[in-house]
């Protein structure tokens, strides 16, 4: 499993465990990369994967938000 997949699973777990509520804004790529100790490119890949699975929604110019399930 690649590191971006690992990060996407960690973020998804946080959402499923209620750490991030539906509609809540996800921290910025910069904040996540600092917090998780990985590059922004890895964060971007992980977020893209979560978006593809419908876990988050990305709004251009506003950021990423937890999808309403």
């Amino acid at each position: 499993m690649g590191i971006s997949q690992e990060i996407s699973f960690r973020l998804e777990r946080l959402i499923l465990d209620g750490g991030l509520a539906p509609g809540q804004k996800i921290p910025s790529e910069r904040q996540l990369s600092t917090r998780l100790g990985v590059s922004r490119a890895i964060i971007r890949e992980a977020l893209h994967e979560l978006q593809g699975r419908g876990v988050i929604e990305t709004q251009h110019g506003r950021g990423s938000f937890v999808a309403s399930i």
Side-chain angles (χ1 to χ4, degrees):
M1 181 187 327
I3 188 131
S4 67
Q5 279 183 306
E6 203 176 297
I7 298 295
S8 74
F9 282 125
R10 278 175 68 180
L11 291 172
E12 188 172 9
R13 184 86 262 147
L14 186 66
I15 291 165
L16 294 174
D17 290 346
L20 290 168
Q24 188 174 346
K25 191 174 193 312
I26 290 171
S28 70
E29 286 177 7
R30 189 172 65 237
Q31 289 172 311
L32 287 171
S33 72
T34 301
R35 195 178 300 173
L36 300 172
V38 295
S39 72
R40 284 178 67 180
I42 297 282
I43 296 295
R44 199 170 300 123
E45 233 176 279
L47 292 175
H48 189 73
E49 196 173 308
L50 288 173
Q51 187 181 353
R53 295 209 313 265
V55 177
I56 66 170
E57 296 166 351
T58 303
Q59 298 172 11
H60 188 70
R62 291 194 57 215
S64 297
F65 299 83
V66 177
S68 303
I69 299 162

